Amino acid sequence: MRQLGSGQSIVFCIPYDIKARIHDSRGTHEHSEIGVPDILRWAIFETWNDIKRSMPLWAVQGRRFTNQRSKWQNYQRSEQDCLTSTQAKSFLEPECLSLQQRYKPHNTGQPAPLASAQREAPDAIETRCAEVEGQESCSPSLHEEQERELAPEIQTERQKHRPPPAEPAIHRVHSDLCSFIETGVLKLPSEAYGPAFASIQDTSAPLYVDLHQFGPGLMVTTDFTKTIKVPRRGSSVMDAYQRPVRFILTAAPSKERDTTDEEDGILIISPHEANMLMPHITKSTAVTIHLYSPRQNEEHGPLDGLMLFNRSRVRETRRLSPNIRLQLNLFAGQLYLASYQEYQDLCCFLGVASVPTPAGLAVAADGFIRDNANGTFRESPLSFLKFWLCQVRRDCRDIRRTHLGKIANGQVLSPSDLQASAVHCAEQSMQALYLLSN
């Protein structure tokens, strides 16, 4: 505020409620102008009122200090080297008062412990309180009590519902899996692996949809599926013991065997199998291991292109077909789509409408097309999709604002809903190509 008016200026920004209080203090109309003297006058009066409200508390602190100082001086005059326990307890103040002490009428207007302190208080404190427009120096006890009652203490305790204890399954590396790493050919039928969605028969998923309708394209190993020994008391126990998808094996393209079916040779393995067989995979010329994670955050790019952490001696990596890519993302619990074309492919795979329903087509309330002769599902899989993504893959967390959450709730997405996601995926792809080129 130095040289105010000589090169410096000040602007007062007043809210509506403060403006109304200034008018009330002046007794003027609300539309009348307010000047700088009015603002300074109101600030001075508010400061004076705050001092008056704080005087009783100041008086109590002064009495307590005077009382304790007199006790300390008396103890210092004695010939004792240290204070006794009784003398030390005399400095303590009661943390709580009884109902009689709190609400019994007193001549001084406050409880008995403070009334005794007032009798020992010097005249200077009482005189100062009387100067402040006749303020009573004994009124802060009720004020402190009201503050405690009007500020309730809210305590919340989180209770986590953990799955019931279970006995873990014993890991086992099957010989057919070792054969697949050497040759790149999946021997069917085999006890080492099976269809991905058929492997969750022990969960609550069969209550929502027939899992065999997904087809045998995507495969998982038995060690990936068996996390615990399946109890006899119910299938819902396995909902909490589903392993996340992290490691994927893909067979290399070869001229010696039929590679027209791109859905052959995609296998999800467990972390134990990846750890035990990593030395053989890195030396293999038939398979490639990939690191995968479902896209559960829109800010992160998709990893279903299998370009992350590829280890093997295979020069050419097999690309996933659209059908296998959809099954992999659904099984792993991916929540966001990369483009509008991917959204249309997913709706075609699930048999739900991706555009407003044309006339003459029977569509259920959730968007499932009932008269779809070329569809994969005979009944709506959206209830299974909501259960699988929300309860199993996301631990019952809310997914309504995600792309898959909107689809599961029967909403139709527009290209604008996926435009930002497509731009972000393009940026991620350019960054990946730049890193690979360098």
Side-chain angles (χ1 to χ4, degrees), residues 95 291 308 375:
E95 296 183 359
L291 187 62
L308 181 64

Side-chain angles (χ1 to χ4, degrees), residues 108-260:
T108 57
Q110 58 175 286
L114 296 180
S116 60
Q118 180 185 2
R119 289 192 297 268
E120 301 177 4
D123 296 336
I125 295 179
E126 299 299 329
T127 304
R128 182 59 178 168
C129 292
E131 291 177 356
V132 185
E133 295 185 1
Q135 280 282 338
E136 295 182 0
S137 60
C138 311
S139 60
S141 60
L142 182 60
H143 177 67
E144 293 177 352
E145 176 190 358
Q146 291 176 348
E147 284 186 348
R148 287 193 298 269
E149 292 181 354
L150 295 178
E153 298 180 359
I154 302 177
Q155 296 181 357
T156 58
E157 182 179 357
R158 297 177 61 89
Q159 296 182 357
K160 296 181 179 181
H161 183 68
R162 300 185 181 276
E167 185 178 358
I170 300 176
H171 290 288
R172 179 188 177 188
V173 178
H174 202 275
S175 58
D176 289 348
L177 178 59
C178 299
S179 176
F180 172 66
I181 295 174
E182 295 177 0
T183 62
V185 179
L186 292 174
K187 299 180 181 179
L188 296 176
S190 175
E191 297 180 354
Y193 33 73
F197 287 95
S199 65
I200 58 176
Q201 287 285 347
D202 295 331
T203 65
S204 303
L207 301 177
Y208 300 93
V209 71
D210 184 8
L211 297 174
H212 295 89
Q213 299 181 64
F214 283 93
L218 183 64
M219 307 292 286
V220 297
T221 61
T222 305
D223 189 71
F224 176 88
T225 305
K226 303 298 181 182
T227 56
I228 62 172
K229 295 183 179 180
V230 181
R232 298 180 180 178
R233 48 186 168 180
S235 60
S236 61
V237 178
M238 293 298 299
D239 297 347
Y241 291 99
Q242 293 300 308
R243 198 189 306 271
V245 179
R246 290 294 179 267
F247 299 97
I248 300 176
L249 289 180
T250 59
S254 177
K255 299 180 180 179
E256 299 179 357
R257 60 178 184 271
D258 186 12
T259 58
T260 57

Side-chain angles (χ1 to χ4, degrees), residues 35-46:
V36 175
D38 301 327
I39 297 175
L40 297 179
R41 179 179 178 273
W42 176 82
I44 293 173
F45 273 93
E46 287 296 317

